[in-house]
């Protein structure tokens, strides 16, 4: 296989580093809501609940159903993968680096790679539900998955705590 130059094909390259995941009993073409796998509380550093459609035969992206309780927010975090949140229900806003954006049911919220971000549920009485799509599996194939959480810290506190380490 050619790894550079005119004969290089990305499909051949990707096929050479990972086996193909074929649909079957363990990796079905359809996963129903009741079949989503809950990520155990405590392994996510915020009050959201995450359930993953982990048995789908996807090789490059992951799908989650995320719920942020009324009046709560996710942790301030950053990661190497791109993420899109589709807002299934609810209203809120997101801090993405130095920008604050508002969203509502039907919105798509994009989080670029390695940007500090946090999502807020602006309702005092109703949860927010997201369909979260991220390309973390693709980066995992290359050993590039990285994630940092600053918990409830402000953006300035996160930059002080983490960014100085990037220079070392």
């Amino acid at each position: 296989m050619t790894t550079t130059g005119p004969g290089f094909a990305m499909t051949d390259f990707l096929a050479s580093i990972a086996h193909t995941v074929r649909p079957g009993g363990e990796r079905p073409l359809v996963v129903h809501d009741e079949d989503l796998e809950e990520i155990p509380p405590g392994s996510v550093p915020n009050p959201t609940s995450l359930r993953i459609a982990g048995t789908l035969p996807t090789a490059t992206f992951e799908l989650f159903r995320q719920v942020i309780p009324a009046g709560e927010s996710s942790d301030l975090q950053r990661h190497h993968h791109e993420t899109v949140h589709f807002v299934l229900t609810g209203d809120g806003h997101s801090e993405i680096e130095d920008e604050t954006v508002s969203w509502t049911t039907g919105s798509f919220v994009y989080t670029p790679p390695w940007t500090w971000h946090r999502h807020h549920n602006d309702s005092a009485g109703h949860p927010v539900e997201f369909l979260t799509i991220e390309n973390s599996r693709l980066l995992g194939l290359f050993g590039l998955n990285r994630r940092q959480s600053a918990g409830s810290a402000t953006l300035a506190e996160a930059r002080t705590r983490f960014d100085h380490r990037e220079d070392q």
Side-chain angles (χ1 to χ4, degrees):
M1 175 186 68
T2 304
T3 57
T4 60
F8 175 75
M10 181 59 81
T11 53
D12 294 338
F13 173 72
L14 290 174
S16 74
I17 61 171
H19 67 282
T20 302
V21 180
R22 300 269 183 231
E26 294 295 312
R27 305 289 275 187
L29 290 173
V30 175
V31 173
H32 301 281
D33 185 60
E34 62 270 12
D35 298 326
L36 297 179
E37 302 166 22
E38 178 120 18
I39 295 178
S43 62
V44 177
N46 62 60
T48 70
S49 73
L50 280 171
R51 295 183 305 136
I52 185 171
T55 58
L56 287 173
T58 60
T60 61
F61 64 93
E62 290 188 295
L63 296 162
F64 298 88
R65 186 156 186 171
Q66 182 175 9
V67 177
I68 301 176
E72 298 284 343
S73 71
S74 64
D75 59 318
L76 184 66
Q77 60 178 268
R78 65 183 178 179
H79 36 70
H80 282 168
H81 57 267
E82 293 179 286
T83 304
V84 173
H85 294 278
F86 175 69
V87 184
L88 296 167
T89 61
D91 301 297
H93 69 279
S94 297
E95 302 167 69
I96 302 173
E97 287 292 336
D98 295 309
E99 188 171 352
T100 299
V101 294
S102 295
W103 40 261
T104 188
T105 300
S107 299
F108 290 87
V109 182
Y110 174 68
T111 305
W114 209 239
T115 57
W116 287 111
H117 62 279
R118 176 182 2 239
H119 308 291
H120 297 266
N121 180 347
D122 291 343
S123 171
H126 302 286
V128 162
E129 292 188 59
F130 289 134
L131 171 64
T132 302
I133 306 154
E134 58 185 47
N135 66 340
S136 53
R137 286 189 180 175
L138 176 63
L139 294 183
L141 290 173
F142 295 103
L144 299 174
N145 258 356
R146 185 171 176 208
R147 178 186 302 265
Q148 290 179 330
S149 172
S152 60
T154 66
L155 180 57
E157 291 168 339
R159 286 177 173 157
T160 299
R161 185 176 353 157
F162 290 95
D163 288 350
H164 74 279
R165 295 179 191 168
E166 301 297 316
D167 300 331
Q168 297 175 357

